[in-house]
Amino acid sequence: MHDNNTPKSESSNYARSRYMRFTVLTLFPEMFSALLIGGIVKRAIERQYVSVEPINIRDFAKDRHHTVDDRPYGGGCGMVMKPEPVAEAIRHAKKRHPEACTLLLTPQGRLFSQMVAQKLAGYAGLILVCGRYEGIDERIREHLVDDELSIGDYVLTGGELAAMVVIDAVTRLIPGTLGSEDSAQEDSFSNGLLEYPQYTRPRSFEGANVPEVLLSGDHSAIRQWRRHASLIRTVLRRPDLLMVQALTAGDIEFMKKLQQDIKTIIGKHSTAS
Ligand code: 21W
C-alpha cells in the first residue's frame, strides 16, 4: 500500500524531528486502506510524517495452501493462528525495522491510553501484530513481542481495528501532523480533564444560545469559564480522572464554592419540605 520507505530528508525540513513507521502484520491487509479515505492520518501519510505498511501474514505460510490456522491443542471450538507464519512475518518486519517496538494486539493486553500513546510516539517504528480467529499461539507472545495492548473491555473480531486505533492516536502525536491551529497539548486526557463544551455559529440554534462569556472577547474570563466547565464535567462524568489530576488552588477554590452552593440548595430544600 503506502510503503513510502523514506522520510523527507531532515535537511529539507529542519522542523521535522520525528518520523513513524507503522508495520502491520495481519490476515486482512486491505482493511488498512480505510486509513487513506480521509482525515489526519491520510494527510500525515501523504506528507510523509508516517508510513503504514500492512503485511499479509499469509504470505509467510510455506505450505501449498498457505495455511495460517490450526485446531487448538486440548480441544475446544474455533481455530488458533499457527506460530510459524506469524513468527516469520515478525522476523521479516524486525529485520527491516530493527529499531521498532513490536506490539501484539490482544484482549489480554495492557489497556491502551493516552499515556501509552505518548510513549509509543517516541519510537521510530511500531510493528503491530493483529490476531484473528481465537487468537495466536501463545509462544509468539512469549518470545517475539515487546508488549501486548488491548483497546478496551469489549470483544472485537480481530486486532485490526485495535491496530488502527493505535495508529490514529499515535499519528496525531507526531509533531506536524495536526494543523497549526490544533494542538495535541490541549486535548482532554493531556491535561487530565474532560474537554469544555464547544460552540460555533449561529449564536442561537433552535432556541439554545451560546454562553455569553464566549462572545465577550474577555480572554481571561473565557479561559476561566472553560476550566470551570471542564472541572464540572469531569466531576459529573469521570470523577476517576480527578483522583490523578493535579488540581490548581483556583480549581479547589471553585469546587469548594460549588460544594457550598450545593449545600445551600440542599439546606433550603430540607427546611422547605
Ligand atoms: C476476541 C480474539 C476474543 C480472541 C481462549 C479460550 C485485539 C481486542 C483484540 C479476539 C478472543 C483488542 C478464547 C479489545 C479485543 C482482538 C479478537 C477470545 C477465545 N481464548 N482490544 N478461548 N478487544 N480481538 N478467544 O477484542 O484481537 S486488541
Side-chain angles (χ1 to χ4, degrees):
M1 194 169 50
H2 14 272
D3 183 3
N4 16 257
N5 1 284
T6 33
K8 262 184 193 158
S9 85
E10 277 168 41
S11 57
S12 77
N13 186 347
Y14 58 82
R16 189 144 316 182
S17 54
R18 281 193 275 158
Y19 180 79
M20 173 64 77
R21 287 184 168 85
F22 297 102
T23 306
V24 190
L25 309 183
T26 170
L27 290 174
F28 295 96
E30 325 76 45
M31 283 180 73
F32 292 83
S33 42
L35 296 170
L36 296 175
I37 291 171
I40 282 165
V41 176
K42 179 187 185 206
R43 192 176 63 184
I45 293 167
E46 285 170 354
R47 299 190 180 174
Q48 298 179 28
Y49 289 99
V50 307
S51 64
V52 180
E53 185 189 5
I55 292 178
N56 197 335
I57 293 168
R58 197 174 292 279
D59 293 344
F60 295 84
K62 293 232 165 70
D63 68 305
R64 210 159 59 83
H65 297 105
H66 301 285
T67 311
V68 291
D69 61 340
D70 204 344
R71 289 149 59 216
Y73 273 122
C77 54
M79 298 291 268
V80 175
M81 281 173 75
K82 291 168 63 61
E84 303 96 320
V86 181
E88 284 306 309
I90 293 175
R91 290 203 182 94
H92 167 86
K94 281 185 175 179
K95 210 176 294 163
R96 292 180 44 165
H97 307 294
E99 72 298 337
C101 177
T102 303
L103 299 167
L104 177 64
L105 286 313
T106 160
Q108 285 88 49
R110 207 149 64 89
L111 194 59
F112 186 62
S113 66
Q114 192 62 23
M115 257 170 62
V116 174
Q118 260 150 16
K119 194 182 147 221
L120 296 182
Y123 287 94
L126 297 178
I127 298 167
L128 302 167
V129 186
C130 305
R132 278 276 153 174
Y133 315 118
E134 295 307 309
I136 302 178
D137 186 287
E138 183 69 7
R139 292 162 290 185
I140 294 297
R141 187 190 67 71
E142 287 170 344
H143 301 296
L144 289 164
V145 308
D146 298 314
D147 205 357
E148 299 166 63
L149 295 179
S150 160
I151 61 162
D153 294 338
Y154 36 79
V155 183
L156 303 172
T157 57
E160 285 78 8
L161 285 170
M164 284 190 255
V165 165
V166 171
I167 291 170
D168 191 286
V170 172
T171 293
R172 59 191 300 293
L173 294 175
I174 306 299
T177 56
L178 299 182
S180 53
E181 73 287 352
D182 209 348
S183 165
Q185 291 314 302
E186 290 189 8
D187 288 332
S188 143
F189 302 116
S190 295
N191 75 16
L193 298 177
L194 296 184
E195 257 167 25
Y196 51 78
Q198 310 222 65
Y199 298 89
T200 186
R201 292 186 292 182
R203 273 176 76 149
S204 182
F205 170 70
E206 299 182 358
N209 295 328
V210 174
E212 244 354 282
V213 64
L214 299 179
L215 312 171
S216 70
D218 182 342
H219 296 294
S220 148
I222 291 169
R223 203 175 315 114
Q224 178 172 272
W225 180 87
R226 285 178 168 167
R227 181 74 184 180
H228 291 171
S230 280
L231 283 167
I232 292 171
R233 285 207 153 170
T234 312
V235 168
L236 292 177
R237 301 185 191 187
R238 293 294 305 277
D240 58 303
L241 294 178
L242 283 174
M243 303 309 283
V244 291
Q245 156 75 5
L247 298 173
T248 66
D251 293 339
I252 299 294
E253 199 192 333
F254 172 68
M255 295 209 294
K256 278 189 177 154
K257 220 174 283 162
L258 272 182
Q259 187 184 35
Q260 197 48 60
D261 289 348
I262 293 167
K263 276 188 179 157
T264 306
I265 292 165
I266 294 170
K268 283 188 180 145
H269 210 68
S270 40
T271 49
S273 59

